[in-house]
Amino acid sequence: MNYRADIDGLRAFAVIPIILFHLDFTKLFGGGYAGVDIFYVISGFLITSIIYRETTGEGFSFLKFYERRIRRIIPPLAFMALVATVLAVCLFSPAYLLNYLVSLRYMFLFSSNIFFWQDTDYFALPDATKALLHTWSLGVEEQFYIVFPIVLFLLVKYAGKHALKGLVFLWLISFALNIHFVFREQPLVFYMLPFRAWELLTGSILAVYRARANVTPPYICGIAGLLLICVSVVSLGYVNKSHFPGALALIPVAGAALCILAGDGSIVGRVLAWKPFVHIGRLSYAMYLWHWVLITFYKYQFGAHLDIRGVITLVLATYLLSANSYRLVEQPIRKKHLLASRSKLFVAAMSVIIVFMAGSVAIEKYTPRDVRYDNYQAQIKDFPELKWGEFYTLGNSNATSSILIMGNSHTEAVYTIFETLCGENNRRCTLAAHGSPLFGTHRTGFGKHKQYQTRLKEVISGDNITDLVIVIRWDMDDLVADNGLKDLDALKYGLENTINAVKERNPNVRVWLQLPVPVFAFNIPDHVYRRLETRQTLAEYNAQWSYIIPLLRSFNARLIDPAAMLCDSRYCYGVLEDTVMYVDEHHMSIKGTFKVRNLYEPIFQP
């Protein structure tokens, strides 16, 4: 196909929103992440145009196809990885470095998406510390490139004029899988190819259609397409991201497809072909690679908040590195000024992959152990990650009465201290944790809440519960009551339902509510290792929970107040007397809960 400047310009409309979204311009570009979906449509269109033309013309060569992919993908990726690895070794604490090195290996196996899907565990490291997180989209794309040329080749060869129908059939399967599973297994749908393939196939269908149909689309196509892109970039910031991609991804995908369909001669095509847009579009791959790496290390070193100086620094650094990567690394190899021979290119690419794979293993294995870090890790290891929805019996299982401890992940944090106290006091305790722990409420992304709440009712009705202990991180996102109430109203509704359910069985039950623990804006063990601040002001704590604490105090319940031991008149502390009190930003460590065991001992007193 002939070069289309408007498609390079469309790339600018994909990469700029992504970068602005990651720079925290979320009020105006809250849906900037949809730029990835635009990239997928463009990629599917361009790749299919080449494969279809060659398959129906002079003949398609798999070797030639993969040579082009290697020249395009590997050199800028390797340059970025080299710089990122040096930064990771110099700056990251051991836990973050290990995560980085593993992700580096997955990246060069073109399976970053698989790694980061597996790394979506609730207790995984924060996404903002994963310098290669953005390469998940490259994993999806490269996996598509491995499978799709074979599929299209076979369709053209054996289906002939029905090849387009075959692509539409594959699109329908992928889109149906996306719709069906997005509410059940959203991380899987977000990261994995079978649920994303329809976006690339949209471009593929468009490419085959344009190659076979000599039609001039109405001018409104391009205008509608650009409008849909703009709408998605803004409006998707105000929807629940746990429902994405799903049907919502149709907005940017349709927008990109309509812009491409409109053609370079349309009004929108001429707008997109404006030289500044084309220039950014040509740098878009390098800019995509560099921006997130720079943002990650900048925030890790200087804090999560980006002021205007930080934004300007990151934008300039992204542009300069991208421009030089494009000029000095990408173009010489793509234009065969370097590694002109296909065999030399393949050998060089394989050598680069082997060096990074082996190098990452060597760094992981031979980096000297840091005794100080090991000492801190010893304090926070063995955090009891329980199976949500399961009910655990602690202490004396033959006792005639019991204490019910329930909540979300903060209940997991107190598992070990209650295991000890229940045993010491010869009491039977039942402990359960779930993302939607309160009766009559649920949270998006936490499945099987009805089964859990049904089982909880069975436990309550069949047991002699003397004490109900609720330990929750109270600022639960997306909390919705079955009657439609949301947020604080839903929380009050859920608490009332839960307490009443227990009191119906035993009106004399004692109710204990744990007030919020201090929640920090940084990882406490990481800050301890780096000798950075491990406290926040008491004023920050009070402001953060100003709407929750009065609600909890309004209940006729006994209160467990962690701030009474973790805070003084000025500060709240993540470290007390050399004890690391947290395993992350808000989950207390085992040693931390034992440090404040006095908070829980009154539960076992008459």
Side-chain angles (χ1 to χ4, degrees):
M1 61 176 287
N2 296 326
Y3 170 71
R4 285 182 53 178
D6 63 307
I7 292 181
D8 268 337
L10 186 59
R11 284 190 172 113
F13 277 76
V15 76
I16 291 173
I18 291 173
I19 294 173
L20 292 174
F21 172 70
H22 287 151
L23 287 171
D24 300 334
F25 287 90
T26 51
K27 288 187 177 180
L28 188 58
F29 295 94
Y33 56 86
V36 170
D37 307 271
I38 298 170
F39 272 132
Y40 281 159
V41 178
I42 295 171
S43 183
F45 176 78
L46 294 176
I47 292 302
T48 305
S49 296
I50 294 170
I51 298 173
Y52 189 77
R53 184 189 69 235
E54 293 181 354
T55 303
T56 56
E58 67 271 19
F60 175 71
S61 167
F62 284 97
L63 281 177
K64 186 177 179 181
F65 173 80
Y66 290 116
E67 177 189 355
R68 287 195 296 258
R69 290 296 86 209
I70 289 171
R71 290 186 184 277
R72 165 69 166 164
I73 299 295
I74 296 294
L77 189 67
F79 179 37
M80 178 275 289
L82 177 63
V83 175
T85 302
V86 172
L87 290 172
V89 171
C90 294
L91 299 178
F92 274 165
S93 64
Y96 293 116
L97 177 60
L98 176 60
N99 184 273
Y100 171 84
L101 293 172
V102 176
S103 68
L104 181 70
R105 295 195 284 272
Y106 272 83
M107 184 184 77
F108 277 107
L109 291 174
F110 303 112
S111 54
S112 286
N113 56 322
I114 297 174
F115 173 75
F116 290 114
W117 165 57
Q118 294 172 334
D119 201 37
T120 54
D121 177 76
Y122 184 81
F123 292 97
L125 294 176
D127 285 349
T129 65
K130 299 171 183 176
L132 301 179
L133 175 62
H134 61 316
T135 63
W136 73 267
S137 63
L138 300 182
V140 171
E141 201 167 339
E142 293 308 311
Q143 290 157 23
F144 183 80
Y145 292 155
I146 291 171
V147 176
F148 182 71
I150 300 170
V151 172
L152 185 59
F153 178 81
L154 293 175
L155 280 175
V156 172
K157 184 174 182 179
Y158 294 106
K161 63 180 181 179
H162 299 294
L164 184 61
K165 294 179 182 178
L167 292 178
V168 172
F169 178 70
L170 293 174
W171 187 98
L172 289 172
I173 292 175
S174 176
F175 186 73
L177 289 172
N178 159 52
I179 294 297
H180 180 73
F181 285 102
V182 72
F183 294 105
R184 296 169 174 82
E185 297 288 343
Q186 190 269 344
L188 177 72
V189 174
F190 187 89
Y191 283 110
M192 302 303 283
L193 174 63
F195 312 95
R196 287 283 193 168
W198 67 274
E199 300 182 36
L200 291 132
L201 287 168
T202 299
S204 300
I205 292 168
L206 187 58
V208 175
Y209 172 76
R210 281 185 60 90
R212 294 173 54 181
N214 186 20
V215 295
T216 301
Y219 75 92
I220 196 67
C221 278
I223 296 173
L226 199 57
L227 182 62
L228 283 173
I229 289 174
C230 294
V231 167
S232 66
V233 166
V234 176
S235 64
L236 291 181
Y238 297 94
V239 301
N240 192 330
K241 293 180 180 60
S242 64
H243 297 165
F244 195 86
L248 293 170
L250 278 169
I251 304 172
V253 167
L258 287 171
C259 286
I260 294 171
L261 180 64
D264 51 358
S266 66
I267 296 173
V268 168
R270 291 194 292 272
V271 170
L272 293 175
W274 188 40
K275 287 186 178 180
F277 291 152
V278 173
H279 176 67
I280 296 298
R282 287 175 175 171
L283 300 182
S284 61
Y285 175 50
M287 292 179 74
Y288 183 78
L289 290 179
W290 282 106
H291 85 281
W292 180 251
V293 170
L294 295 173
I295 290 171
T296 298
F297 286 109
Y298 186 93
K299 286 187 174 183
Y300 184 78
Q301 197 66 12
F302 300 110
H305 175 71
L306 288 176
D307 57 16
I308 188 63
R309 182 183 302 175
V311 169
I312 292 171
T313 299
L314 288 167
V315 169
L316 288 176
T318 297
Y319 176 78
L320 291 173
L321 280 166
S322 301
N324 282 285
S325 174
Y326 178 79
R327 183 171 62 90
L328 301 176
V329 178
E330 183 177 343
Q331 286 300 97
I333 295 177
R334 285 188 75 183
K335 293 184 175 180
K336 299 186 180 182
H337 300 319
L338 295 174
L339 299 173
S341 164
R342 179 183 297 165
S343 59
K344 289 182 180 179
L345 176 72
F346 285 174
V347 170
M350 187 58 65
S351 299
V352 165
I353 292 172
I354 291 172
V355 166
F356 274 103
M357 297 284 284
S360 68
V361 172
I363 293 170
E364 181 181 336
K365 185 175 182 179
Y366 295 111
T367 298
R369 300 291 301 179
D370 188 312
V371 176
R372 185 169 59 87
Y373 180 77
D374 289 344
N375 289 338
Y376 291 133
Q377 285 297 108
Q379 293 191 35
I380 64 172
K381 69 177 182 178
D382 300 327
F383 185 86
E385 295 186 31
L386 309 181
K387 186 175 181 180
W388 282 23
E390 290 290 322
F391 288 74
Y392 297 85
T393 300
L394 312 177
N396 180 5
S397 59
N398 296 317
T400 57
S401 62
S402 73
I403 298 171
L404 174 61
I405 307 112
M406 58 171 291
N408 52 21
S409 62
H410 281 207
T411 306
E412 296 182 70
V414 299
Y415 174 92
T416 306
I417 185 64
F418 272 99
E419 183 180 42
T420 300
L421 291 172
C422 294
E424 289 177 355
N425 291 275
N426 199 33
R427 293 295 305 274
R428 175 163 56 88
C429 299
T430 302
L431 184 145
H434 193 275
S436 301
L438 301 176
F439 284 136
T441 65
H442 65 275
R443 293 174 65 197
T444 304
F446 294 94
K448 300 184 178 179
H449 67 279
K450 290 185 178 179
Q451 295 93 317
Y452 162 76
Q453 292 177 14
T454 299
R455 173 67 178 132
L456 184 59
K457 287 180 181 178
E458 293 172 355
V459 169
I460 292 171
S461 62
D463 204 350
N464 179 24
I465 298 171
T466 60
D467 293 84
L468 170 65
V469 185
I470 301 179
V471 182
I472 288 179
R473 175 167 178 176
W474 297 102
D475 56 337
M476 292 183 286
D477 296 331
D478 307 320
L479 185 66
V480 179
D482 295 344
N483 63 4
L485 294 174
K486 296 182 179 180
D487 303 325
L488 198 62
D489 292 331
L491 178 60
K492 182 179 180 180
Y493 176 81
L495 268 174
E496 289 173 345
N497 281 349
T498 304
I499 294 171
N500 290 338
V502 179
K503 286 195 170 185
E504 284 177 9
R505 180 72 173 82
N506 179 7
N508 297 318
V509 69
R510 298 189 302 179
V511 179
W512 303 78
L513 301 180
Q514 178 167 296
L515 296 180
V517 299
V519 173
F520 295 86
F522 43 82
N523 184 288
I524 293 295
D526 182 66
H527 268 225
V528 169
Y529 172 77
R530 296 163 65 197
R531 295 187 173 90
L532 298 175
E533 188 67 78
T534 57
R535 65 185 184 182
Q536 65 175 196
T537 66
L538 182 62
E540 289 176 310
Y541 171 81
N542 290 332
Q544 183 178 12
W545 301 107
S546 60
Y547 64 103
I548 290 290
I549 292 177
L551 171 64
L552 300 180
R553 291 189 183 278
S554 70
F555 284 86
N556 184 22
R558 305 174 188 222
L559 301 177
I560 303 167
D561 187 5
M565 297 193 72
L566 294 172
C567 307
D568 58 24
S569 61
R570 295 181 62 194
Y571 295 103
C572 296
Y573 300 91
V575 177
L576 284 179
E577 299 173 352
D578 293 328
T579 298
V580 181
M581 301 296 292
Y582 290 78
V583 299
D584 50 25
E585 296 85 0
H586 60 93
H587 292 98
M588 291 189 68
S589 65
I590 292 175
K591 286 186 176 292
T593 58
F594 276 86
K595 190 80 171 177
V596 298
R597 67 175 284 163
N598 292 346
L599 293 173
Y600 305 107
E601 288 176 342
I603 298 170
F604 297 88
Q605 298 170 1

